[in-house]
Amino acid sequence: MGKCKHITRLLSDALDRPLTAGEWIAIGVHLPTCSGCRNYRRHIGLLRAASQEISGTGGSRDAREEQ
Ligand SMILES: [Zn+2]
């Protein structure tokens, strides 16, 4: 999937700059469908940024996000 290249790029960009809402949404719809990108996100330490930004719920989801 060519999408993965884009998503992993966004995940790495997120460490350096704020992503736009549209970029977070792109990540949020892709990650649940792609274990490769989830692994990448975990790898770079961006554990909960995407789900947090999308849901806007903040802290309470943290514990179960990565089991
Ligand atoms: Zn992917």
Side-chain angles (χ1 to χ4, degrees), residues 13-63:
D13 279 1
L15 299 174
D16 299 323
R17 65 170 176 88
L19 299 186
T20 67
E23 287 170 335
W24 281 119
I25 288 167
I27 291 169
V29 299
H30 182 77
L31 281 187
T33 70
C34 182
S35 60
C37 288
R38 285 200 302 275
N39 283 338
Y40 179 80
R41 180 189 60 168
R42 180 157 32 202
H43 207 69
I44 66 175
L46 209 74
L47 291 181
R48 62 221 154 129
S51 62
Q52 218 167 38
E53 289 287 334
I54 297 298
S55 66
T57 54
S60 60
R61 285 168 52 94
D62 288 6

